[in-house]
Amino acid sequence: NAGVTQTPKFQVLKTGQSMTLQCAQDMNHNSMYWYRQDPGMGLRLIYYSASEGTTDKGEVPNGYNVSRLNKREFSLRLESAAPSQTSVYFCASALLADSYNEQFFGPGTRLTVL
Amino acid sequence: GESVGLHLPTLSVQEGDNSIINCAYSNSASDYFIWYKQESGKGPQFIIDIRSNMDKRQGQRVTVLLNKTVKHLSLQIAATQPGDSAVYFCAPSASKIIFGSGTRLSIRP
């Protein structure tokens, strides 16, 4: 099993450009998450999807949109990138059964907005 | 969602010594608490969990202590090794997890 995969691994954008970060998991997990991590900081939740067909805002949703395409895939879209969105983006998934939420993280996407 | 905070942003220990990383939480409704380790350039990985009805759980070189009275967790790493250098996060098990900033553990040779 590949676990959680993210594409691309690196991306450089100019201010105002748009892009979609892709995430897929092959563990048949119910819930999926998008986090950002700025240098020296912890993880901040952007959006999450507790189950297929549902999405909810996290701590820092402004400037982002998400799509839970199916049970496997959860994408994050930046419609008009800003330098403040320069960060490392992590996708995670969890089975989320009986309130147990062990999250499995992808390798991250390093995004720079110029 | 739950919120967590960590007492110290950085911790430096001598190789071979024991490390203790602390974590406070605000809401005691979670059934589990989970510790994650994040090595440089990688995503966080599960280390160990503890159920809320336990006060101690041991793994290989790691021990988790849970004090529900003061809403406090600690992760103890025995005989700290260079490979333990990482950022450590604790997180309550909930559908929406708010991670704290983590504790960066560095090892002195």
Side-chain angles (χ1 to χ4, degrees):
Chain A
N1 289 349
V4 179
T5 57
Q6 293 183 236
T7 55
K9 287 188 168 53
F10 300 93
Q11 183 71 48
V12 178
L13 293 176
K14 294 180 180 177
T15 297
Q17 287 185 315
S18 62
M19 80 161 295
T20 299
L21 281 65
Q22 306 286 355
C23 174
Q25 53 90 9
D26 61 1
M27 295 174 281
N28 200 34
H29 283 171
N30 297 315
S31 61
M32 298 185 74
Y33 306 80
W34 276 106
Y35 295 91
R36 62 176 287 175
Q37 186 174 38
D38 299 332
M41 302 286 285
L43 296 162
R44 290 189 289 170
L45 181 65
I46 305 172
Y47 270 95
Y48 69 107
S49 171
S51 61
E52 187 179 358
T54 68
T55 59
D56 286 286
K57 295 179 180 179
E59 301 171 86
V60 289
N62 291 346
Y64 305 95
N65 285 303
V66 289
S67 294
R68 183 75 183 266
L69 304 169
N70 47 54
K71 192 170 186 180
R72 289 187 65 248
E73 299 171 289
F74 189 39
S75 63
L76 179 71
R77 182 159 178 85
L78 286 71
E79 289 291 352
S80 178
S84 61
Q85 294 179 305
T86 293
S87 192
V88 180
Y89 291 83
F90 288 101
C91 177
S93 71
L95 184 60
L96 194 57
D98 296 328
S99 78
Y100 188 75
N101 190 354
E102 176 191 345
Q103 299 199 357
F104 294 77
F105 286 82
T109 293
R110 283 146 186 81
L111 175 67
T112 301
V113 183
L114 303 174
Chain B
E2 285 273 351
S3 65
V4 291
L6 286 100
H7 292 285
L8 294 172
T10 60
L11 177 66
S12 177
V13 300
Q14 193 80 31
E15 184 177 348
D17 287 352
N18 296 338
S19 304
I20 300 176
I21 300 169
N22 296 304
C23 176
Y25 60 93
S26 59
N27 188 318
S28 53
S30 294
D31 290 333
Y32 291 90
F33 295 87
I34 300 175
W35 280 96
Y36 293 88
K37 174 185 180 182
Q38 185 180 23
E39 295 177 283
S40 182
K42 297 181 179 179
Q45 285 190 304
F46 172 94
I47 304 173
I48 190 168
D49 61 20
I50 186 166
R51 196 172 180 127
S52 60
N53 62 358
M54 301 169 67
D55 53 20
K56 181 178 180 179
R57 185 166 188 205
Q58 286 187 288
Q60 190 176 16
R61 282 202 308 118
V62 294
T63 301
V64 184
L65 299 179
L66 174 61
N67 185 331
K68 293 182 285 295
T69 302
V70 294
K71 298 184 180 179
H72 181 270
L73 281 154
S74 68
L75 177 71
Q76 301 179 3
I77 304 173
T80 310
Q81 302 170 357
D84 296 324
S85 291
V87 177
Y88 291 82
F89 298 94
C90 73
S93 188
S95 59
K96 174 181 173 180
I97 296 175
I98 307 296
F99 285 88
S101 58
T103 294
R104 180 174 298 281
L105 177 64
S106 61
I107 315 301
R108 300 191 303 273

